[in-house]
């Protein structure tokens, strides 16, 4: 597909803030028509007001756990712009804490938002992309999906599942001109983490912080078909691979990583870099 995305239709979930908003701005700069999805209309109106100066924008306030609403979403996008070319599954939910201390319904909600909904949305997108003779599906994963993470067991499981789905779907669609990829970042300097910093596991901050724009740029790269997966930071991707392959080493290094993360977290809380 055209690498500049000019006049392509891009659907972005979780688009009203953070990575979703940064991704919307980046695709807008490439000339894409935008379909911005989030639960709250107010946040969508804010980002749409800014981007309507640059490109055409359709906002859809909805819950991606609503299967019927998901089908209607694609109908609205196609009716507005005549195609669906790119789907960015960015919306996410994280109920932090150990499984034993958590609520079962909240953990189930994580599975719905982080895994079930992206699978359904991706499946719904494919007929439109086949009609357009090309397209892209990019999922926003996490380093937590590349190696087990205590204190975030269900979250890690959903992101690991999303990663497996991405690679499998990419293989299924080889030769179809539909690119499939996943961006797996560590901590990102957005409200998703920073507004709940005291609840975030210390070990998360043992990795360097990425910006929302860095993640957005990686999403665009995956949409272009430049990679099936991009980990941020890149060195953390290597470390998570080692941690997954050598669990004994991961457990041995965990105390040191917690100490490192705890120090970094305190700097972030004090406003340092």
């Amino acid at each position: 597909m055209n690498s500049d995305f000019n006049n392509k239709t891009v659907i972005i979930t979780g688009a009203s803030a953070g990575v979703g908003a940064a991704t919307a701005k980046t695709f807008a700069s490439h000339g894409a028509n935008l379909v911005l999805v989030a639960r709250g209309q107010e946040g969508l109106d804010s980002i749409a007001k800014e981007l309507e100066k640059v490109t055409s924008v359709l906002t859809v306030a909805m819950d991606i756990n609503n299967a019927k609403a998901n089908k209607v979403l694609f109908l609205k996008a196609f009716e507005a712009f005549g195609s669906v070319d790119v789907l960015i599954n960015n919306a996410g939910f994280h109920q932090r804490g150990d499984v034993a201390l958590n609520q079962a319904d909240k953990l189930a909600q994580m599975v719905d938002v982080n895994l079930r909904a992206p699978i359904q949305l991706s499946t719904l997108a494919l007929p439109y992309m086949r009609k357009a003779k090309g397209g892209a599906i990019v999922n926003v994963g996490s380093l937590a999906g590349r190696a087990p993470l205590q204190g975030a067991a269900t979250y890690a499981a959903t992101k690991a599942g999303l990663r497996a789905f991405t690679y499998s779907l990419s293989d299924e669609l080889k030769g179809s001109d539909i690119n499939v990829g996943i961006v797996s970042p560590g901590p990102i300097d957005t409200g998703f983490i920073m507004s709940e910093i005291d609840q975030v596991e210390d070990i998360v901050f043992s990795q360097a912080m990425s910006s929302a724009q860095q993640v957005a740029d990686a999403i665009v790269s995956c949409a272009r078909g430049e990679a099936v997966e991009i980990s941020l930071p890149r060195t953390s991707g290597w470390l998570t691979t080692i941690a997954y392959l050598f669990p004994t080493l991961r457990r041995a290094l965990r105390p040191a990583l917690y100490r490192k993360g705890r120090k970094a977290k305190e700097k972030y809380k004090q406003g340092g870099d």
Side-chain angles (χ1 to χ4, degrees):
M1 63 188 301
N2 195 328
S3 63
D4 66 0
F5 303 102
N6 187 50
N7 216 28
K8 302 295 184 181
T9 303
V10 181
I11 298 176
I12 305 171
T13 67
S16 60
V19 169
T23 302
K25 293 174 185 177
T26 304
F27 274 110
S29 72
H30 288 287
N33 301 315
L34 300 176
V35 181
L36 306 182
V37 181
R39 286 177 298 175
Q41 188 64 55
E42 185 177 351
L44 288 172
D45 287 343
S46 178
I47 186 70
K49 184 177 180 181
E50 177 182 352
L51 294 182
E52 282 171 344
K53 302 171 185 176
V54 181
T55 191
S56 298
V57 181
L58 170 68
T59 63
V60 183
M62 56 171 280
D63 182 355
I64 60 170
N65 281 328
N66 186 322
K68 291 182 179 179
N70 287 342
K71 293 178 182 178
V72 173
L73 166 65
F74 286 92
L75 293 173
K76 287 181 177 179
F78 189 81
E79 182 179 303
F81 300 119
S83 70
V84 174
D85 303 284
V86 179
L87 169 65
I88 310 300
N89 285 312
N90 167 68
F93 173 61
H94 193 173
Q95 179 70 17
R96 305 182 190 280
D98 291 355
V99 171
L101 303 176
N102 236 305
Q103 301 173 40
D105 59 339
K106 291 295 185 181
L107 300 184
Q109 184 181 354
M110 258 196 287
V111 176
D112 288 341
V113 174
N114 298 348
L115 183 57
R116 187 195 60 77
I119 290 174
Q120 188 200 20
L121 289 166
S122 297
T123 305
L124 291 170
L126 289 177
Y128 292 91
M129 294 179 185
R130 290 191 186 281
K131 184 180 180 68
K133 301 189 185 310
I137 297 171
V138 183
N139 299 313
V140 178
S142 170
L143 290 180
R146 294 175 54 89
L149 182 62
Q150 68 183 71
T154 305
Y155 181 78
T158 63
K159 295 300 186 179
L162 189 61
R163 184 172 183 257
F165 175 74
T166 301
Y167 273 89
S168 299
L169 184 60
S170 177
D171 285 347
E172 288 182 10
L173 295 175
K174 279 196 182 303
S176 69
D177 290 324
I178 299 174
N179 303 321
V180 182
I182 185 167
V183 177
S184 298
I188 311 169
D189 190 6
T190 66
F192 189 74
I193 282 183
M194 301 309 286
S195 65
E196 301 178 353
I197 191 168
D198 287 328
Q199 286 73 50
V200 179
E201 284 284 311
D202 292 345
I203 195 171
V204 170
F205 297 98
S206 65
Q207 307 303 312
M209 187 87 72
S210 297
S211 68
Q213 186 59 55
Q214 286 174 315
V215 179
D217 290 340
I219 289 170
V220 171
S221 293
C222 283
R224 285 174 171 155
E226 295 171 4
V228 176
E229 182 175 17
I230 297 176
S231 298
L232 297 172
R234 188 177 298 273
T235 52
S236 296
W238 300 335
L239 289 172
T240 51
T241 298
I242 293 171
Y244 178 79
L245 293 174
F246 302 98
T248 301
L249 178 61
R250 180 184 75 244
R251 296 186 187 103
L253 291 175
R254 186 178 289 156
L257 292 174
Y258 263 91
R259 288 194 296 272
K260 179 181 178 182
R262 195 172 299 117
K263 290 180 181 179
K265 180 195 276 191
E266 285 305 315
K267 287 185 180 179
Y268 289 130
K269 289 171 66 174
Q270 294 167 15
D273 295 326

